[in-house]
Amino acid sequence: MRWLSTVLSLALTAETVVGSSWFSKAAYNKWHETELERWLSDNDIPYPTPADRKDLENLIQKNWDSYAVAPYKNWDSDKLTAYLKSKGVETKESAKSNKDSLVSQVSNSWYETEDKAQTSWTSVHDWILDTWTESSLKAFADKHGIPVPQPRTRDTLLQKARSNYEIVAKKVGETAEYPGDWLYESWSESDLKEWLDTHGFPAPQITDRNKLISMVRRNSRLAYLRMQDQKSSAAASASAAYATLTDKIIDAWGESQLKEFCDKNGINVPQGSKVNELRALVRKNRAQILGDNVTGSAASAFGAATSMAGNQYAKATDDVSLAAQDAFNKVVGTWSESRLKSYLDARGVPVPQGSKTDELRALVRRNAHKAANPYGAWTWDDLSYDTLRKYLANSGNAAAKKVGDSSAATRDDLVEAAQSAYASASSAGGGSYASATSYLSQATEAAKKTTFDTWSESELKAYLDSYGIPVPQGSKINELKALARKQSTYFKYGTTNPANTAFAKLGESVKGAYEWVVGQLGAGSEAAKQKAGEFKEEL
């Protein structure tokens, strides 16, 4: 009996150890106290000050799973549904209202397992630099004197930055497990905002540099996971496109083209082979001759969309940023002088007296990624009638409330009253300002998803007119809404979020590949060329 008691005791002890092992091995257990506080602050989790290390660790333990391991647990139903849709998982209307069900589905298709997520936080340097642009990596290497051999490709820059990460941290006397602001010293505010925009975390109303760094650091892991997932998806798409493309060309060949290909590539053709047998023979030898895994000569010609997807992704991200900048420049080229000045005013950029329109445009373009001030005249631009009236009713300003209650008030009247009420609250300060800011923040957040939805045609035209945008004759109201949203987005964010189009550049690489495949296959027939052309359009 004593023997059995001992065994049971050991078993219970082992179970307890196993059950708590993840906590005892959690990455933050090895963090400096400043890193513990930094993580809590980054995730807007209040903590007592002063607090001892045990209190901080216990607080992180309570929130670690839903912020670091499975951040989707904090998402709303819309965000969860959007993620599932991106993964090809359809959700029924009934399921959309059940958040627990959505969380469970997202968990089943999440980018990584919980164990892998836990492990990733023990070696932050392995991934935190991966989402940086080539120019950011160059700036980091130059600032910290990291030697990088020529040619300075992104892969080389990333490898050198990674290997010197902890060395640099020690050199500047900083911690490296959950890095502080030192990691982003070579980044400007525009760089920080551009990163957030590019990776789908727009922050138009944050001007404080520390807050921008906090947002970048907090979202770096999720941005990395998305990037890896998109790279894999792009690689798979490229391989599938490659196989489909060559299949279409081979199917279009006649017997003479098939025999010519076999003859050129040393493929032994049995006497009396039929056309379908010849096609099967070509396909069988296709991998060896052309490289279905897109290696060797195919890699460079095919856009490096598989074996070199990492480099291609980085290039695509940079290219898309340039494309977004170019699109922004074109839009700004149509804006009115008053709208250009408003854009600059919203960002606190001084406008030299007597500036000409072209000079204003140049100034706007130079500040394309500068974060906008929290509130200003532009804040009310795209709020609906109802939202404006509710703001006036809750402003605590009698004159403003009177305008809001007037059925004869135009939208311009409401906007003017709202601006005046906010200005008065701002001057008064204290509780009045805090109340006005709080309500405005709620109103603008609530209006994000329904911006312009309830606007009339005349209101939309007036809004577009404030930008100097001519309305095409016969435009439908949905087209006007789309045009209005486009201007509003550019005005608020500087550039639209290019994250969703980053891999369109990989698609362009795949499109260009058809010419290489045609050349390699020696497709001389018009039928084959036509098939390749048709597939190019499908891409």
Side-chain angles (χ1 to χ4, degrees):
M1 291 295 291
R2 183 180 297 175
W3 173 81
L4 180 59
S5 175
T6 302
V7 170
L8 288 172
S9 176
L10 288 172
L12 288 170
T13 302
E15 185 178 343
T16 302
V17 170
V18 170
S20 62
S21 62
W22 78 264
F23 171 64
S24 62
K25 293 180 181 178
Y28 56 80
N29 291 144
K30 296 181 180 180
W31 289 0
H32 189 276
E33 281 186 33
T34 57
E35 292 178 308
L36 298 173
E37 292 177 345
R38 184 180 299 133
W39 188 87
L40 290 167
S41 179
D42 280 357
N43 290 285
D44 298 321
I45 300 170
Y47 59 91
T49 52
D52 61 30
R53 182 181 181 87
K54 185 177 179 182
D55 290 336
L56 294 172
E57 285 190 358
N58 287 339
L59 194 53
I60 290 181
Q61 182 193 3
K62 292 176 183 176
N63 292 280
W64 185 251
D65 181 59
S66 57
Y67 283 89
V69 178
Y72 53 84
K73 290 182 179 179
N74 285 322
W75 291 359
D76 60 24
S77 295
D78 287 343
K79 201 169 181 180
L80 291 165
T81 302
Y83 174 84
L84 290 170
K85 187 176 180 181
S86 73
K87 294 297 233 175
V89 180
E90 291 299 324
T91 53
K92 296 180 180 179
E93 286 301 320
S94 58
K96 290 179 182 178
S97 60
N98 186 339
K99 185 179 175 181
D100 289 341
S101 173
L102 292 173
V103 168
S104 177
Q105 289 182 76
V106 170
S107 174
N108 292 333
S109 62
W110 190 240
Y111 302 119
E112 60 182 351
T113 63
E114 291 194 4
D115 284 345
K116 189 173 180 181
Q118 296 283 5
T119 303
S120 71
W121 286 100
T122 63
S123 54
V124 171
H125 71 279
D126 284 341
W127 52 264
I128 200 165
L129 302 171
D130 282 45
T131 57
W132 287 26
T133 62
E134 185 173 332
S135 58
S136 295
L137 291 167
K138 282 179 181 176
F140 181 79
D142 292 342
K143 180 174 180 61
H144 297 290
I146 300 172
V148 180
Q150 296 292 343
R152 300 177 95 191
T153 63
R154 186 179 184 280
D155 276 349
T156 305
L157 284 163
L158 181 58
Q159 188 273 323
K160 289 296 181 182
R162 270 195 201 136
S163 60
N164 284 273
Y165 175 84
E166 292 186 5
I167 296 172
V168 170
K170 289 178 181 178
K171 185 178 175 182
V172 297
E174 296 282 357
T175 56
E177 299 301 326
Y178 190 70
D181 295 2
W182 65 269
L183 187 61
Y184 304 95
E185 279 182 343
S186 58
W187 289 34
S188 65
E189 284 187 23
S190 293
D191 292 332
L192 293 164
K193 185 172 183 292
E194 184 175 2
W195 186 95
L196 290 166
D197 284 345
T198 299
H199 293 283
F201 308 103
Q205 297 186 3
I206 294 179
T207 54
D208 182 79
R209 176 180 172 81
N210 291 335
K211 288 183 179 179
L212 288 170
I213 290 176
S214 175
M215 280 196 73
V216 170
R217 184 169 49 224
R218 180 177 76 231
N219 290 297
S220 284
R221 181 63 187 171
L222 183 54
Y224 168 78
L225 292 173
R226 284 179 181 170
M227 183 188 79
Q228 293 300 311
D229 183 63
Q230 289 170 324
K231 277 164 53 177
S232 297
S233 177
S237 296
S239 294
Y242 169 77
T244 303
L245 174 56
T246 52
D247 277 341
K248 283 179 178 284
I249 294 174
I250 292 169
D251 286 341
W253 275 347
E255 184 177 350
S256 60
Q257 280 88 19
L258 291 165
K259 286 184 176 179
E260 181 184 354
F261 179 83
C262 291
D263 184 55
K264 281 183 178 179
N265 293 284
I267 300 172
N268 185 34
V269 178
Q271 191 73 22
S273 295
K274 296 178 181 179
V275 173
N276 286 339
E277 292 171 336
L278 287 171
R279 288 197 179 105
L281 199 57
V282 168
R283 286 193 176 94
K284 181 180 178 181
N285 289 273
R286 176 177 55 185
Q288 180 182 348
I289 297 168
L290 299 177
D292 273 358
N293 59 353
V294 201
T295 56
S297 62
S300 58
F302 202 62
T306 51
S307 60
M308 293 167 62
N311 249 350
Q312 190 68 5
Y313 169 79
K315 183 179 184 300
T317 303
D318 287 343
D319 287 350
V320 169
S321 294
L322 291 173
Q325 183 68 47
D326 182 58
F328 175 71
N329 291 343
K330 289 177 181 176
V331 169
V332 168
T334 65
W335 283 1
S336 63
E337 185 175 321
S338 60
R339 183 55 68 172
L340 293 167
K341 287 180 178 178
S342 295
Y343 179 92
L344 295 167
D345 181 58
R347 288 154 178 79
V349 179
V351 178
Q353 192 72 21
S355 296
K356 296 178 181 178
T357 304
D358 285 344
E359 293 170 334
L360 290 173
R361 286 199 178 102
L363 199 53
V364 166
R365 285 165 181 152
R366 283 202 297 273
N367 289 277
H369 288 290
K370 188 173 178 64
N373 293 326
Y375 305 107
W378 59 275
T379 309
W380 287 267
D381 271 0
D382 49 14
L383 296 185
S384 67
Y385 263 98
D386 287 343
T387 303
L388 285 166
R389 289 187 188 281
K390 287 176 183 177
Y391 176 76
L392 294 173
N394 288 273
S395 66
N397 185 300
K401 188 175 185 302
K402 186 177 180 180
V403 175
D405 290 339
S406 172
S407 59
T410 65
R411 189 174 184 284
D412 287 342
D413 294 335
L414 297 177
V415 169
E416 187 177 344
Q419 291 172 343
S420 178
Y422 185 80
S424 296
S426 179
S427 298
S432 297
Y433 180 64
S435 177
T437 303
S438 175
Y439 185 80
L440 182 57
S441 176
Q442 293 172 29
T444 51
E445 184 64 30
K448 278 181 181 178
K449 295 178 182 178
T450 57
T451 303
F452 305 116
D453 280 357
T454 59
W455 287 38
S456 67
E457 185 175 334
S458 60
E459 290 167 348
L460 290 165
K461 286 181 177 178
Y463 179 80
L464 291 169
D465 185 59
S466 74
Y467 281 89
I469 305 297
V471 177
Q473 192 72 23
S475 296
K476 296 178 181 178
I477 194 164
N478 284 337
E479 293 171 337
L480 295 178
K481 288 176 182 177
L483 197 55
R485 287 193 183 98
K486 179 180 178 181
Q487 307 307 318
S488 174
T489 302
Y490 276 120
F491 185 89
K492 288 182 177 180
Y493 294 90
T495 58
T496 53
N497 170 21
N500 293 334
T501 56
F503 283 86
K505 301 306 292 183
L506 285 177
E508 289 302 315
S509 295
V510 175
K511 283 184 181 181
Y514 93 101
E515 294 174 349
W516 173 80
V517 175
V518 171
Q520 289 297 303
L521 291 174
S525 71
E526 288 304 314
K529 288 180 180 178
Q530 183 179 347
K531 285 288 184 182
E534 288 171 1
F535 184 68
K536 179 188 177 187
E537 294 307 313
E538 289 174 16
L539 289 170

